[in-house]
Amino acid sequence: MSNFQLRTSKIQNQKDSIFTTMSQLAHKYNATDLSQGFPNFETDDYLKELVTKAMKAGNNQYAPMAGVLKLRERIAEKVESLYGRKYNPETEITVTNGATQAIYSAITAFVQKDDEVIVFKPAYDSYEPTIKLNGGIPVLIQLKGAQFEIDWNELAKKITSRTRMIIINTPHNPSGTVLSKEAMLQLENLLINTDIILLSDEVYEHLVFDNNKHHSAAAFSGLAERAIICASFGKTFHNTGWKTGYCVAPSALMREIRKVHQFAVFCVNHPMQIAYAEYLKDPENYLQLGNFYQEKRDKFLHLMKSSKFSANPSAGTYFQVMDYSEIANEGDVEFSERLIKEYKLAAIPISVFNIDNKDNRQLRFCFAKTDETLEKAAEILINIK
Ligand SMILES: Cc1ncc(COP(=O)(O)O)c(C=O)c1O
């Protein structure tokens, strides 16, 4: 028996994430898994060959701290061509261990004890623990209605002299909504004449449907001047396990972020960066993604047509929120556990991302899956009455 006793926990009351819980249950019951947010199909063979080639060419030691320059140059070209803003690859772009580390580094670089950070709920689960680890206070705002909209009056009221940062996420996980140009302009208008930093999580930037556009913070001067924009190659190129992403920000902000990045990880996987730099030469590799995932969304919704689940078609990301209130009265956590145990189908209950776990009887399904998996899932779901 050990006599060692832990003095305290730095993140109090933090349970295992819902993804861990649901994945374990899904595994135990051998369930079809639409819970976790990653594809169950392969990344491009050509990209794998580029990684192998980069390894064989000897790029197996530390990469430069801020990332392989060629890759940063390609990122700068991509951002400029899509959103019309030039970021300097030398001073304004850093390659990170996935978007999660960009988010961690950005929050850690700027949030100090008792600083307030505004987070819209439901939210991706890494924001709040990172804010708290840094002594900050998450100030939560619930997105409203079926379209998960920002309540601008509430936002204006919650901005105080202690607000250090606002975090937005568009396209949005888990709701699948996309912030409109008007919403971005409204945010710009609210932030003008403040020194509030904007953390804009845009990992699903290429996954926007129905001829809509992704409105990056980079495209709005009053936002870009204060914005750290986070992106993920894992999400974009179907290789979340490679954990490579990046962030762009004006040099004064990036200087601070790199102080954290340098001592948290120093640098990122070298051969992958060389491969991505080559792969980004062809914009089709990311421009076709919207159509690719729109087909998946449409297929899933079509297959689900005769089910008792109801949905507003997802506008972006690879998630579809569905309402099950015609099927059951039980809470969404209970319902999703029963889905796994009785029907062998895993999804994510939305309440776990809401303020006070508000339960609207909604589940999140990930449609980044093979047609075969989507068909199998829908066959189960349409038979739940
Ligand atoms: C909104 C959001 N941000 C960030 C991430 C993390 O991205 P990465 O895998 O590149 O760390 C995810 C992954 O699920 C996400 O959904």
Side-chain angles (χ1 to χ4, degrees):
M1 266 299 265
S2 163
N3 288 326
F4 178 77
Q5 280 213 327
L6 195 61
R7 214 175 283 171
T8 179
S9 164
K10 277 190 80 176
I11 312 182
Q12 306 274 349
N13 306 323
Q14 187 70 39
K15 292 186 260 172
D16 272 355
S17 87
I18 189 70
F19 305 107
T20 313
T21 312
M22 287 300 157
S23 283
Q24 281 169 354
L25 258 189
H27 186 72
K28 184 170 166 196
Y29 286 88
N30 198 17
T32 300
D33 195 351
L34 301 196
S35 67
Q36 283 209 313
F38 54 77
N40 72 339
F41 42 82
E42 271 302 306
T43 191
D44 190 346
D45 274 342
Y46 174 56
L47 185 50
K48 290 190 216 166
E49 280 162 26
L50 289 173
V51 174
T52 310
K53 203 170 129 197
M55 284 182 182
K56 287 191 171 160
N59 299 291
N60 298 304
Q61 308 307 329
Y62 295 126
M65 185 269 279
V68 166
L69 184 59
K70 258 271 153 303
L71 177 57
R72 284 183 279 146
E73 285 168 355
R74 290 276 143 70
I75 293 168
E77 286 160 18
K78 172 167 104 79
V79 174
E80 187 180 3
S81 78
L82 291 175
Y83 312 123
R85 184 163 307 276
K86 251 190 161 76
Y87 286 88
N88 183 338
E90 298 277 0
T91 55
E92 299 185 314
I93 298 174
T94 300
V95 181
T96 57
N97 278 284
T100 309
Q101 188 238 316
I103 292 163
Y104 175 85
S105 300
I107 294 173
T108 303
F110 300 109
V111 174
Q112 305 195 39
K113 191 168 165 9
D114 295 335
D115 281 347
E116 293 181 354
V117 180
I118 291 178
V119 176
F120 296 100
K121 300 285 282 181
Y124 178 58
D125 62 354
S126 86
Y127 308 148
E128 284 165 68
T130 309
I131 295 164
K132 289 183 195 159
L133 258 181
N134 285 288
I137 302 166
V139 175
L140 308 178
I141 296 181
Q142 184 69 40
L143 295 167
K144 302 273 158 61
Q147 296 298 334
F148 294 83
E149 277 165 329
I150 293 177
D151 179 336
W152 295 101
N153 288 331
E154 188 178 353
L155 175 59
K157 275 191 210 140
K158 291 218 161 130
I159 292 177
T160 72
S161 57
R162 289 193 309 195
T163 309
R164 180 70 165 141
M165 180 181 273
I166 295 180
I167 304 180
I168 58 169
N169 169 216
T170 182
H172 182 253
N173 174 13
S175 73
T177 54
V178 172
L179 286 179
S180 64
K181 184 175 177 188
E182 291 66 38
M184 297 301 275
L185 287 169
Q186 195 136 357
L187 185 63
E188 184 177 44
N189 203 30
L190 257 181
L191 295 185
I192 229 117
N193 299 328
T194 74
D195 62 356
I196 296 170
I197 292 166
L198 179 68
L199 178 56
S200 188
D201 179 345
E202 303 184 12
V203 298
Y204 301 102
E205 65 184 311
H206 303 297
L207 279 56
V208 176
F209 314 134
D210 307 318
N211 295 321
N212 282 323
K213 241 184 98 171
H214 167 61
H215 297 286
S216 172
F220 302 83
S221 302
L223 295 178
E225 65 181 1
R226 66 187 69 245
I228 302 137
I229 299 169
C230 302
S232 168
F233 289 125
K235 297 286 181 191
T236 301
F237 296 131
H238 319 312
N239 44 42
T240 55
W242 295 5
K243 277 307 274 190
T244 311
Y246 62 90
C247 57
V248 305
S251 58
L253 297 181
M254 189 53 80
R255 207 173 303 125
E256 298 303 309
I257 292 168
R258 285 188 184 169
K259 289 178 190 170
V260 176
H261 171 81
Q262 171 159 217
F263 298 112
V265 294
F266 183 71
C267 70
V268 173
N269 194 311
H270 198 167
M272 263 77 171
Q273 292 192 59
I274 295 196
Y276 282 132
E278 186 62 26
Y279 200 64
L280 280 175
K281 272 188 185 166
D282 181 0
E284 263 316 292
N285 286 329
Y286 48 85
L287 293 180
Q288 47 79 30
L289 271 175
N291 286 339
F292 173 79
Y293 277 115
Q294 185 175 326
E295 275 175 26
K296 294 244 170 247
R297 178 203 65 177
D298 290 346
K299 180 171 181 81
F300 185 53
L301 286 176
H302 180 74
L303 289 165
M304 290 288 288
K305 234 178 170 167
S306 64
S307 82
K308 290 181 96 180
F309 289 85
S310 60
N312 286 316
S314 169
T317 73
Y318 42 51
F319 302 115
Q320 177 64 56
V321 171
M322 291 206 157
D323 179 306
Y324 65 87
S325 48
E326 266 195 56
I327 299 173
N329 284 325
E330 67 205 294
D332 63 1
V333 174
E334 224 179 317
F335 183 64
S336 45
E337 283 176 5
R338 194 158 68 81
L339 261 188
I340 296 178
K341 291 176 186 167
E342 281 181 28
Y343 297 95
K344 302 205 180 322
L345 191 284
I348 295 287
I350 297 282
S351 70
V352 298
F353 303 107
N354 284 337
I355 295 182
D356 299 330
N357 296 342
K358 186 169 186 320
D359 192 335
N360 298 316
R361 294 198 207 121
Q362 291 171 320
L363 301 182
R364 188 199 78 175
F365 297 93
C366 174
F367 54 80
K369 306 293 166 190
T370 60
D371 287 356
E372 194 193 356
T373 303
L374 293 177
E375 282 158 13
K376 202 168 152 195
E379 202 182 310
I380 296 170
L381 293 165
I382 58 177
N383 285 309
I384 304 177
K385 303 292 178 198

